[in-house]
Amino acid sequence: MVYIKQIIIQGFKSYKEQTVIEPFSPKHNVIVGRNGSGKSNFFAAIRFVLSDAYTQMGREERQALLHEGSGSAVMSAYVEVIFDNSDDRFPTGKDELILRRTIGLKKDEYSLDRKNATKADVMNLLESAGFSRSNPYYIVPQGRVTTLTNMKDQERLTLLKEVAGTQVYEARRVESLKIMTETENKRAKIDELLEYIKERLSELEEEKEELRTYQEKDRERRCLEYAIYHREQLEIANALDNIDEQRQTGVDETDDNRERFLAGEHEIDELNAQIAEVKRQMELLKVDKRQLEDEKRDNARLRAKAELDVKALREGQTQAQQSQLQHDRELQEVQEMIQQRETELSQIRPEFQSVKDQETALKRQLTEANAERQRLHAKQGRNVHFRNKKERDDWLRQEIGDANVAMATRKAIRMQATDDVVEQEKAIESVTAEMQELRERFDGRGNSMQAMAEQVERAMEERDRLMDQRKTLWREEAKLGSILDSAQQEMDRAERTLAHTMDRNTSRGIASVRRIQRQLKLDGVYGTLAELLEVNEKYRTAVEVTAGNSLFHYVVDTDETATKVLEVLQRERAGRVTFMPLNRLRPRSVNLPKSADAIPMLEKIQYEPMYQKAFEQVFGKTIICPNLQVAAQYARSHGVSAITPDGDRSDKKGALTGGFYDARRSRLEAVKNLTRWRDEFEKHRTRGEEIKRELEQLDQEVTRAVGDVQRIGQRRQQLENSYVPLRAELRAKEMLLEKQRDDLETKKRSVEAMDASLREIGEQLNAFEKELGSEFKKNLTTQEEQRQEELDKMIWSLGKEYTELSTRRSELEAKKSVMEVELRENLRPRLDQLRNQELDNGGGSSSGGKTAGANAKTKLKEKERELKRIDKAMQTAHQRLQETEESMEQATMQLAELEQSRADRQHQQEETARLIERYQKRMEKSMAKKALLTERATECSRNIRDLGVLPEEAFEKYENTSSNTIVKKLHKVNDILKQYGHVNKKAVEQYNNFTKQRETLIKRRSELDSSQHSIVELIEILDQRKDEAIERTFKQVSREFADIFERLVPAGRGRLVIQRKVDQRRNRNEDESDDDDDDEGGGRGRGGRNDKNKNKKSVENYTGVGISVSFNSKEDEQQRIQQLSGGQKSLCALALVFAIQQCDPAPFYLFDEIDANLDAQYRTAVANMLKTISSSTTTQPVHTDDNDDDDEGDAAGRGKDNSSSSKKKLGAQFICTTFRPEMVLVADRCYGVAYQNKTSSIDVVSRDEALQFVEEAQVAALQGVTGTGTAGSEV
């Protein structure tokens, strides 16, 4: 039997890695594992391959089938099922069948025995092995039992119909009804056509009589027309004979005209060549003229610009001189005013300093007197506050200490101030030195600018010289480009002309050999014979005819060279060439006649001695004779080839070859022309390359010269631009020096103030020390009072004198400040402005005016030199332009003469061509007339053929009748025929056709009637067989259900109950009464097939299938399935599944936790039954009804024959998952599913390990229910 031998899973759902499951037992297999470990995924994998559950999936559904755990993403998955096929149930001829399905995001493929297959092939193969699509219950996934338990009676009836295979009957019935409808439509159309044909036949009966009269007159008309056409044929034949006679007797007048025309064409070709040469020279002269005119215009434009520049510079120089004089006067005035103010300041400053020093001394004396007086007043005032000497001395000591601290602080500050003064003086000296250096640089500007101008002038002269040379080369290059284009065109034309004289492969081959010679640099490839020889024009035709295609044989030094070239030609498929290696040529010596009328051809050919063998090979056996008769004599007598100068040839065998030879298509002339233009093209191309190299070198030199000019100009510009920042820097230094001097003066005054403060503190300190050693008295001493009086007088006297000196000092300071402000704010800025103007005008120092003038003169000199150069270039261009125009005039005159000569010759050619054309027109007229007559003869023959088969009287009846009489009779007959214009000429044919069509349609109508009757009978038979299949299937399933239920529940009894419409109307909530169901299995024993209509109505009356069971006794009242407990319902559903399977058995079954809802005793019963089914091989009688003649319909419904009186039930393979020990105890092999790291795996386990796991799972489930623990998801 067929069973699943092994399963391989990879990438499918939780099975990421390749999982190869150990071979299954052909009997009972049990799979255990925790919830979520992958048991259901294992069953899904098998359904994925064997069932229709996974079809027409979208991208998301495909993605859901792929493993989605950690690690790298899974892009595809496959499931492979290996069947044992030892009994050849699969018609493959092999012991195993390997079925694989692979799925990815964009693919879904099947394979059988490692070969690609379609899904239809797979499903058909499974059907042939017993996997019925109408009975999918060989795979029972989770929930299927529950679905059957909750199924309604109507749904259960639908399931029964599916098992019975009614879909096939329904499909065939629909197809038959469609055919019947089409048949009805065809019958209606045939009826319409028959009616139309009947009417049409009655009309054609009348048209047949008119047609007979018409045919008689038409026969007479055809006889008359034949007589007319036959006579016209005879006339045309006579006219054609006359034209042929005139053509045969005519004299060919065009031979001399053709010869004159050919000679004229040759002369015109020579004139065209001369005209082309003159035109080419004129084109070159035009190019020269255009270039010279462009150069003249450019020079004129440059000359105008240069003249304007010179004029502007001259005017600018005059204005600059006037401006410079005005500027110098203003500068001198400002400098004189500055010098005057500085002289006055030099006089005021000593006096101001002297008065200031006196004021400072008086201020110091006045300050010291005030301080001493204040000390005496302070001493007088503080003695009152002390009670004794000790208090006074303590206070004095404290003041002495404070005074010492203050003196130390002042001394430190004075030292810092003194250091600042020294640093400031050093800074002033540094700035002064820098200013001196800047003035020296400023004064040396003139010499540098002069030297730089001379360098610029030399660089520009060199640049102009190089640019003139480059222009000359440019003109020559442009002229040479025109020459090259013309030479290229002529060379291309010559190549095309030469290519037309040979076949295409030879032309391609010769061109490829030249290219290969250049690429490989082969010195031993010399050229074709035509290129290596020179021959007088008189013997050119003879040489060409003698050589033939050998003219294009390529001469090489050795066969090795030829092999190299041939290999490249073969590899590139670049044409064919015949080579003549000189080292392999062995020309035979020939005894040539020595006579004046037999000239050896080699004597008339000029070639290099090194090619002697090649020319002897081709021309060594040929002589030139004056005429063909002499040539034939020498050819026979000396066994050589003889040829005339006109190309007529005679060989040693006596064959004569000759005729007209078109000299215009001369191969040697074409080769000579091509060689000449190729040499000229190469010469000009070589010169062009030389010019390009010279231009590249000149471009580099010009670029270098322009770069030199730019660099020198940039240096001069930098030198000119450097004086503006130099002057700004000098001005900044002057301002910095002024500021530093002010800062120095401030710092010096600060030092003097510090000295005065120190003196005051010292005097105060001396007074305190002196008072500390004196006696303590409340009042001043007499000396101190006298000193106080003296100080009062002194202070008054010093104050008066200080006031006078201060007034004098203020006056001097104000006058000094005004002068300094005038210098700083007016005169010196004005001086800077004037000097900046000098910088803008090219100056920058005391010699700025001279430098500016020198710069202007330098620019003027440069422009004048440029103007002279342009004038010289214009004179040269004008002279060359005159010469070019004179040459063009001469060429124009020559061209006119040549064109006149060509026109005269063309006129002669036109006259000759008119003569030839006149004769050709006469011939064309004759030919046209002949063609017209031939066409008329053909038309007459065609008209006679169109008359059809003529009666015998037509050939002799009107033979002696005149043509006029025949024509009159024909008109009379045609007039009579016009009366029958409406006659149907095809009436007889149409009558016969319609008759045949009527017979065909009547026959077709009879066939359609028969077909309609057959279709009605087929529909009745299909309905009958469908009803019989439903009846038979219900009886079988009901019988199997009762048997299986009795095996599962030995103390009980169960049956299937048919629900009818009348029963539902009577009592929807009660069980079907025993009176309405007399048969034991729910069948209709009273019905059978005695009455088909009654049977049909009974089947159509079915509304559902119910289940009625008793679990306690065979005699108790049975209960409906809706009244049972959950476990009892599940058992009933399992019994129904097993019953369906027994009616339509499969080779193996897959059950997923079918015992989940069963009680222990029922689980044991189910397990034992599975073991019995899987192990048994028995033959049991199968009771059937009397419908033995309906085997064909039943087999069509379920794919096998169930109508035999007995059926052999083979053991089947079971693969089940369970959490219960009952199935494990009866299993032949156990498997465990583990789940770790989000990946499932499955391995063989022992029965004890499986039982232990089941017990642990039950304990875990109980703990989960009571809340004391949870069940894990991994083994």
Side-chain angles (χ1 to χ4, degrees):
M1 67 176 182
V2 172
Y3 66 90
I4 295 177
K5 186 175 182 179
Q6 194 173 23
I7 295 176
I8 302 173
I9 307 173
Q10 179 174 340
F12 186 83
K13 290 193 174 182
S14 59
Y15 293 89
K16 179 181 180 181
E17 305 298 334
Q18 187 182 44
T19 303
V20 181
I21 303 173
E22 292 293 329
F24 290 97
S25 169
K27 297 181 180 179
H28 191 194
N29 303 271
V30 171
I31 300 174
V32 296
R34 299 184 185 277
N35 286 330
S37 60
K39 301 190 303 298
S40 297
N41 291 340
F42 169 74
F43 275 90
I46 300 177
R47 294 176 64 204
F48 171 69
V49 179
L50 301 180
S51 71
D52 293 336
Y54 298 93
T55 56
Q56 297 180 353
M57 293 180 291
R59 183 182 179 89
E60 293 77 9
E61 294 173 321
R62 294 170 185 266
Q63 182 67 45
L65 296 180
L66 302 178
H67 180 76
E68 296 182 350
S70 59
S72 59
V74 176
M75 303 307 294
S76 65
Y78 72 86
V79 179
E80 183 174 287
V81 180
I82 303 175
F83 294 96
D84 183 280
N85 191 34
S86 56
D87 60 349
D88 289 333
R89 193 162 184 176
F90 289 111
T92 61
K94 298 181 181 179
D95 293 338
E96 286 185 353
L97 175 69
I98 302 174
L99 174 59
R100 173 187 283 195
R101 184 178 181 183
T102 305
I103 193 169
L105 294 179
K106 295 183 179 180
K107 67 177 181 177
D108 189 359
E109 300 173 347
Y110 286 87
S111 66
L112 289 171
D113 291 332
R114 312 297 185 191
K115 297 180 181 178
N116 290 336
T118 63
K119 182 178 179 181
D121 295 338
V122 173
M123 293 305 167
N124 292 334
L125 186 64
L126 293 175
E127 287 276 356
S128 67
F131 298 93
S132 176
R133 291 191 184 183
S134 61
N135 180 14
Y137 283 93
Y138 65 91
I139 299 177
V140 181
Q142 285 186 14
R144 180 67 62 83
V145 175
T146 303
T147 302
L148 286 172
T149 301
N150 300 326
M151 191 175 286
K152 297 179 181 180
D153 294 345
Q154 178 64 35
E155 295 173 347
R156 210 173 283 116
L157 176 62
T158 303
L159 173 63
L160 193 66
K161 290 181 179 180
E162 292 178 359
V163 173
T166 59
Q167 291 90 340
V168 176
Y169 296 112
E170 290 292 339
R172 294 180 63 182
R173 190 177 191 278
V174 170
E175 184 178 358
S176 299
L177 289 174
K178 182 179 179 181
I179 295 174
M180 188 169 66
T181 302
E182 293 176 354
T183 303
E184 289 289 343
N185 295 334
K186 291 178 180 178
R187 290 170 64 189
K189 290 182 179 179
I190 289 174
D191 292 341
E192 293 177 1
L193 287 174
L194 288 173
E195 184 66 24
Y196 170 74
I197 290 173
K198 182 178 179 182
E199 295 176 358
R200 187 67 180 131
L201 286 175
S202 62
E203 295 175 358
L204 291 174
E205 284 290 344
E206 300 175 358
E207 294 176 357
K208 284 169 60 179
E209 294 300 326
E210 294 181 353
L211 182 61
R212 289 192 188 93
T213 305
Y214 171 79
Q215 288 176 344
E216 292 177 358
K217 294 299 181 182
D218 184 67
R219 186 183 302 109
E220 184 179 358
R221 175 189 64 79
R222 288 188 289 125
C223 293
L224 292 170
E225 288 182 353
Y226 171 75
I228 294 172
Y229 292 147
H230 181 65
R231 292 183 181 183
E232 186 176 0
Q233 274 186 327
L234 295 176
E235 293 175 359
I236 291 171
N238 293 331
L240 288 174
D241 292 339
N242 293 331
I243 291 174
D244 290 336
E245 289 177 1
Q246 291 178 1
R247 183 181 178 188
Q248 291 295 330
T249 58
V251 179
D252 190 3
E253 300 176 354
T254 60
D255 289 343
D256 295 338
N257 292 332
R258 284 198 181 94
E259 292 179 359
R260 288 197 302 271
F261 187 81
L262 292 176
E265 287 293 320
H266 182 68
E267 186 176 349
I268 289 174
D269 290 339
E270 292 179 354
L271 289 173
N272 286 332
Q274 295 177 8
I275 290 172
E277 180 65 23
V278 173
K279 286 183 177 180
R280 186 168 66 85
Q281 293 177 0
M282 289 186 66
E283 289 295 329
L284 297 178
L285 291 173
K286 288 180 180 179
V287 172
D288 288 343
K289 182 180 178 182
R290 186 165 56 251
Q291 292 176 350
L292 291 171
E293 289 176 348
D294 293 341
E295 184 178 353
K296 184 177 179 181
R297 285 194 297 271
D298 294 340
N299 289 331
R301 185 174 61 255
L302 294 174
R303 186 176 185 279
K305 185 176 181 300
E307 287 178 348
L308 291 175
D309 292 341
V310 169
K311 182 178 180 181
L313 286 172
R314 287 174 179 170
E315 293 176 355
Q317 188 175 11
T318 304
Q319 295 176 359
Q321 289 175 355
Q322 296 176 358
S323 300
Q324 186 65 34
L325 293 175
Q326 180 67 25
H327 177 271
D328 291 342
R329 285 197 298 271
E330 292 182 3
L331 183 62
Q332 184 176 3
E333 291 176 359
V334 171
Q335 288 176 347
E336 289 176 355
M337 291 180 66
I338 290 173
Q339 185 176 4
Q340 180 182 356
R341 295 295 184 267
E342 287 179 350
T343 302
E344 293 176 358
L345 277 175
S346 63
Q347 293 174 359
I348 291 174
R349 278 172 181 158
E351 183 180 359
F352 171 74
Q353 191 65 35
S354 175
V355 173
K356 185 177 180 183
D357 292 341
Q358 291 177 13
E359 182 186 11
T360 302
L362 284 176
K363 184 178 181 181
R364 185 172 59 254
Q365 292 176 9
L366 184 59
T367 302
E368 290 175 355
N370 282 327
E372 186 176 357
R373 187 175 65 177
Q374 288 177 1
R375 286 194 297 273
L376 290 175
H377 285 305
K379 179 180 178 182
Q380 183 180 3
R382 66 174 170 267
N383 286 338
V384 180
H385 298 288
F386 302 114
R387 291 180 300 212
N388 51 36
K389 182 180 180 183
K390 183 177 182 303
E391 290 181 1
R392 186 200 68 179
D393 293 342
D394 292 337
W395 181 84
L396 289 173
R397 290 189 186 95
Q398 183 179 359
E399 290 296 325
I400 289 170
D402 294 339
N404 287 328
V405 173
M407 182 172 287
T409 303
R410 298 292 193 282
K411 286 182 178 179
I413 295 173
R414 185 185 182 285
M415 289 177 65
Q416 181 64 36
T418 304
D419 293 338
D420 292 342
V421 169
V422 174
E423 291 179 359
Q424 191 70 24
E425 289 176 347
K426 291 181 180 179
I428 290 173
E429 292 177 358
S430 176
V431 171
T432 304
E434 291 176 359
M435 289 177 61
Q436 183 63 28
E437 182 182 357
L438 290 173
R439 287 194 179 96
E440 290 176 357
R441 288 173 58 190
F442 204 75
D443 294 337
R445 172 178 177 272
N447 297 330
S448 300
M449 291 294 294
Q450 186 65 27
M452 196 65 66
E454 293 175 357
Q455 292 181 9
V456 171
E457 182 178 355
R458 289 194 296 272
M460 292 178 68
E461 290 177 353
E462 178 66 15
R463 180 199 63 187
D464 295 340
R465 184 183 66 80
L466 293 173
M467 291 181 72
D468 291 338
Q469 292 182 4
R470 185 170 64 177
K471 287 181 180 178
T472 303
L473 286 176
W474 278 346
R475 286 195 295 269
E476 186 176 357
E477 184 183 29
K479 181 179 179 181
L480 195 61
S482 177
I483 296 174
L484 274 173
D485 292 340
S486 177
Q488 179 70 50
Q489 294 175 0
E490 294 294 336
M491 186 174 70
D492 294 341
R493 188 180 296 111
E495 286 179 348
R496 289 193 297 271
T497 302
L498 181 60
H500 291 159
T501 63
M502 66 182 83
D503 62 277
R504 185 170 177 271
N505 284 332
T506 303
S507 177
R508 290 176 57 238
I510 292 174
S512 300
V513 170
R514 292 196 185 99
R515 175 177 54 79
I516 294 168
Q517 178 187 9
R518 291 194 299 270
Q519 292 177 351
L520 302 181
K521 298 180 179 179
L522 299 175
D523 297 330
V525 179
Y526 302 125
T528 61
L529 282 177
E531 295 172 352
L532 299 178
L533 65 83
E534 291 288 338
V535 65
N536 191 297
E537 186 176 357
K538 179 179 178 182
Y539 303 105
R540 187 172 63 195
T541 301
V543 170
E544 285 187 16
V545 173
T546 300
N549 290 331
S550 298
L551 283 174
F552 303 114
H553 289 181
Y554 232 96
V555 180
V556 295
D557 53 355
T558 62
D559 53 348
E560 295 181 359
T561 303
T563 302
K564 290 180 182 178
V565 179
L566 283 172
E567 288 176 352
V568 179
L569 287 175
Q570 180 67 24
R571 184 170 60 253
E572 297 180 356
R573 298 181 180 180
R576 297 181 61 84
V577 176
T578 300
F579 289 94
M580 300 181 70
L582 295 177
N583 65 328
R584 289 300 185 95
L585 295 178
R586 301 290 185 271
R588 297 178 182 179
S589 59
V590 180
N591 183 21
L592 297 177
K594 298 180 180 179
S595 175
D597 56 357
I599 305 171
M601 184 171 286
L602 283 176
E603 294 181 0
K604 299 301 179 182
I605 300 174
Q606 292 82 36
Y607 53 87
E608 294 291 336
M610 62 183 298
Y611 311 132
Q612 180 71 28
K613 293 182 179 180
F615 284 95
E616 287 182 356
Q617 182 75 21
V618 177
F619 304 105
K621 300 178 182 179
T622 304
I623 60 175
I624 301 175
C625 300
N627 52 58
L628 191 59
Q629 290 78 10
V630 175
Q633 292 176 1
Y634 281 117
R636 288 192 298 270
S637 61
H638 291 77
V640 296
S641 294
I643 192 169
T644 67
D646 294 333
D648 298 332
R649 186 177 180 180
S650 175
D651 59 15
K652 59 184 179 181
K653 294 182 179 180
L656 300 178
T657 305
F660 174 74
Y661 185 83
D662 191 355
R664 294 179 300 175
R665 298 176 58 85
S666 171
R667 295 180 176 182
L668 288 176
E669 183 64 22
V671 172
K672 181 179 179 182
N673 192 30
L674 176 60
T675 304
R676 177 170 62 85
W677 283 112
R678 185 180 291 143
D679 293 341
E680 185 172 356
F681 178 78
E682 289 295 330
K683 179 182 68 175
H684 293 311
R685 188 172 62 83
T686 303
R687 175 55 185 161
E689 293 176 353
E690 292 177 357
I691 291 175
K692 287 182 179 179
R693 288 194 295 271
E694 292 178 5
L695 279 174
E696 290 176 357
Q697 184 177 359
L698 272 178
D699 287 339
Q700 296 175 359
E701 294 179 359
V702 169
T703 303
R704 185 170 59 253
V706 171
D708 293 341
V709 172
Q710 292 177 350
R711 283 194 297 274
I712 296 172
Q714 289 174 357
R715 288 204 301 269
R716 183 172 70 175
Q717 189 67 28
Q718 290 174 358
L719 184 61
E720 292 177 354
N721 295 336
S722 65
Y723 290 107
V724 176
L726 189 65
R727 181 59 187 166
E729 185 178 0
L730 182 60
R731 178 59 182 160
K733 294 293 183 182
E734 290 176 352
M735 295 177 65
L736 178 60
L737 181 61
E738 188 71 24
K739 183 176 180 301
Q740 287 179 347
R741 284 175 178 172
D742 294 340
D743 292 342
L744 179 61
E745 186 67 25
T746 302
K747 290 178 180 180
K748 283 183 178 181
R749 287 197 297 269
S750 176
V751 171
E752 291 175 357
M754 284 297 169
D755 291 340
S757 178
L758 287 173
R759 284 195 301 271
E760 184 179 355
I761 293 172
E763 290 175 357
Q764 183 71 35
L765 188 57
N766 292 333
F768 284 152
E769 290 177 351
K770 184 177 180 181
E771 184 180 357
L772 184 61
S774 65
E775 295 180 358
F776 177 72
K777 292 180 180 181
K778 296 290 186 180
N779 298 319
L780 296 175
T781 64
T782 304
Q783 293 178 354
E784 289 174 346
E785 289 178 354
Q786 291 177 355
R787 182 59 181 169
Q788 187 175 9
E789 292 177 359
E790 292 175 359
L791 288 173
D792 290 337
K793 293 178 181 180
M794 184 185 296
I795 287 170
W796 181 83
S797 175
L798 289 174
K800 182 179 180 182
E801 188 177 355
Y802 177 77
T803 301
E804 294 176 356
L805 285 174
S806 179
T807 303
R808 177 61 179 162
R809 191 264 308 162
S810 298
E811 293 175 356
L812 292 173
E813 186 175 8
K815 189 175 181 181
K816 172 175 158 297
S817 298
V818 169
M819 292 181 180
E820 288 177 347
V821 168
E822 185 179 4
L823 283 171
R824 184 172 63 252
E825 303 294 336
N826 185 11
L827 295 177
R828 285 203 176 97
R830 178 57 179 163
L831 179 63
D832 291 339
Q833 183 180 2
L834 292 173
R835 287 181 174 175
N836 288 334
Q837 290 178 0
E838 289 179 355
L839 292 175
D840 296 337
N841 295 328
S845 67
S846 60
S847 59
K850 296 180 179 179
T851 305
N855 289 336
K857 290 180 180 179
T858 301
K859 292 182 180 179
L860 179 60
K861 186 176 180 181
E862 291 176 357
K863 292 298 180 181
E864 289 177 346
R865 185 179 64 255
E866 183 179 359
L867 184 60
K868 290 180 181 179
R869 182 181 62 81
I870 293 172
D871 288 339
K872 183 177 179 182
M874 288 184 66
Q875 292 177 0
T876 304
H878 181 69
Q879 183 177 358
R880 292 181 58 191
L881 185 61
Q882 288 181 347
E883 295 174 355
T884 302
E885 290 176 349
E886 292 176 357
S887 299
M888 288 183 66
E889 290 178 0
Q890 294 176 359
T892 303
M893 293 175 61
Q894 184 179 2
L895 180 63
E897 294 175 357
L898 290 172
E899 288 180 346
Q900 183 62 37
S901 300
R902 183 179 64 179
D904 295 341
R905 190 58 188 171
Q906 286 178 347
H907 180 69
Q908 296 177 2
Q909 290 292 98
E910 290 173 359
E911 292 293 334
T912 305
R914 276 195 293 272
L915 293 175
I916 296 173
E917 185 179 3
R918 191 176 299 115
Y919 177 76
Q920 288 178 347
K921 286 182 178 179
R922 289 200 301 268
M923 292 300 296
E924 288 175 359
K925 288 181 180 179
S926 299
M927 295 304 296
K929 185 176 181 181
K930 181 179 179 180
L932 183 60
L933 292 173
T934 304
E935 184 178 359
R936 286 178 58 192
T938 304
E939 184 178 359
C940 288
S941 300
R942 183 171 61 251
N943 292 333
I944 292 174
R945 287 196 303 271
D946 293 340
L947 293 176
V949 179
L950 298 172
E952 293 182 0
E953 61 182 9
F955 302 102
E956 298 177 356
K957 183 176 182 180
Y958 300 105
E959 185 175 359
N960 298 322
T961 306
S962 64
S963 298
N964 292 331
T965 304
I966 293 173
V967 171
K968 290 179 180 178
K969 288 184 177 181
L970 179 62
H971 286 311
K972 185 176 180 180
V973 170
N974 286 333
D975 292 338
I976 296 173
L977 288 175
K978 288 180 181 179
Q979 299 175 3
Y980 296 92
H982 64 282
V983 72
N984 183 5
K985 299 179 179 62
K986 296 182 179 180
V988 176
E989 181 182 356
Q990 290 177 354
Y991 185 85
N992 295 332
N993 290 337
F994 278 114
T995 303
K996 292 179 181 179
Q997 190 174 1
R998 182 180 62 181
E999 294 174 355
T1000 303
L1001 289 175
I1002 292 172
K1003 184 179 180 181
R1004 178 61 176 160
R1005 180 71 164 74
S1006 176
E1007 292 175 354
L1008 290 175
D1009 292 340
S1010 176
S1011 175
Q1012 180 78 1
H1013 180 69
S1014 300
I1015 293 171
V1016 171
E1017 290 182 351
L1018 176 61
I1019 291 174
E1020 293 176 354
I1021 292 173
L1022 288 174
D1023 292 340
Q1024 175 187 346
R1025 290 185 177 180
K1026 180 183 72 173
D1027 297 339
E1028 291 173 354
I1030 294 172
E1031 288 277 349
R1032 182 169 57 251
T1033 301
F1034 173 74
K1035 290 179 181 179
Q1036 293 176 358
V1037 173
S1038 177
R1039 183 167 52 249
E1040 295 294 341
F1041 178 81
D1043 181 54
I1044 290 171
F1045 189 84
E1046 185 176 357
R1047 293 167 62 185
L1048 294 176
V1049 187
R1053 183 169 67 93
R1055 60 174 179 159
L1056 299 180
V1057 181
I1058 282 289
Q1059 298 288 341
R1060 298 182 176 87
K1061 295 180 180 179
V1062 65
D1063 298 333
Q1064 288 182 347
R1065 288 194 297 268
R1066 183 181 302 164
N1067 187 359
R1068 295 180 180 274
N1069 298 321
E1070 294 181 1
D1071 295 333
E1072 184 181 3
S1073 65
D1074 295 337
D1075 295 336
D1076 295 327
D1077 188 11
D1078 296 334
D1079 60 303
E1080 183 69 17
R1084 290 167 44 239
R1086 293 177 300 177
R1089 288 195 313 167
N1090 296 327
D1091 187 358
K1092 293 183 179 180
N1093 293 330
K1094 181 179 179 181
N1095 185 22
K1096 180 176 180 181
K1097 293 180 180 179
S1098 298
V1099 171
E1100 292 178 353
N1101 196 35
Y1102 293 167
T1103 60
V1105 175
I1107 298 177
S1108 178
V1109 296
S1110 173
F1111 281 84
N1112 299 324
S1113 172
K1114 297 183 181 295
E1115 304 298 333
D1116 290 346
E1117 182 180 355
Q1118 295 183 345
Q1119 295 176 320
R1120 300 298 296 273
I1121 190 171
Q1122 291 84 356
Q1123 301 170 344
L1124 302 178
S1125 64
Q1128 292 174 340
K1129 288 181 179 179
S1130 298
L1131 184 64
C1132 292
L1134 280 174
L1136 179 59
V1137 170
F1138 287 136
I1140 294 173
Q1141 291 173 350
Q1142 290 300 314
C1143 292
D1144 192 3
F1148 65 87
Y1149 299 97
L1150 305 176
F1151 292 158
D1152 190 3
E1153 298 184 13
I1154 62 173
D1155 58 351
N1157 298 326
L1158 298 179
D1159 297 335
Q1161 59 177 345
Y1162 301 139
R1163 291 199 297 270
T1164 302
V1166 170
N1168 292 331
M1169 189 181 70
L1170 292 180
K1171 182 173 180 61
T1172 302
I1173 295 175
S1174 63
S1175 302
S1176 63
T1177 306
T1178 60
T1179 303
Q1180 297 179 355
V1182 178
H1183 301 284
T1184 63
D1185 56 8
D1186 297 334
N1187 302 332
D1188 294 337
D1189 57 343
D1190 295 337
D1191 294 342
E1192 181 183 352
D1194 189 39
R1198 294 198 302 274
K1200 51 175 76 82
D1201 186 4
N1202 292 332
S1203 63
S1204 59
S1205 60
S1206 65
K1207 178 171 61 178
K1208 186 176 181 179
K1209 296 185 178 179
L1210 299 177
Q1213 181 188 36
F1214 289 90
I1215 301 176
C1216 309
T1217 63
T1218 184
F1219 279 103
R1220 308 298 182 183
E1222 287 78 10
M1223 279 197 182
V1224 177
L1225 290 172
V1226 299
D1228 293 288
R1229 185 165 295 178
C1230 299
Y1231 297 84
V1233 179
Y1235 186 74
Q1236 188 175 5
N1237 296 330
K1238 296 184 179 181
T1239 302
S1240 299
S1241 61
I1242 183 168
D1243 295 307
V1244 176
V1245 297
S1246 64
R1247 181 180 282 111
D1248 294 338
E1249 291 173 342
L1251 288 172
Q1252 181 181 357
F1253 169 76
V1254 169
E1255 292 174 359
E1256 292 176 356
Q1258 289 177 348
V1259 172
L1262 291 173
Q1263 291 176 352
V1265 172
T1266 58
T1268 59
T1270 59
S1273 61
E1274 297 182 2
V1275 176

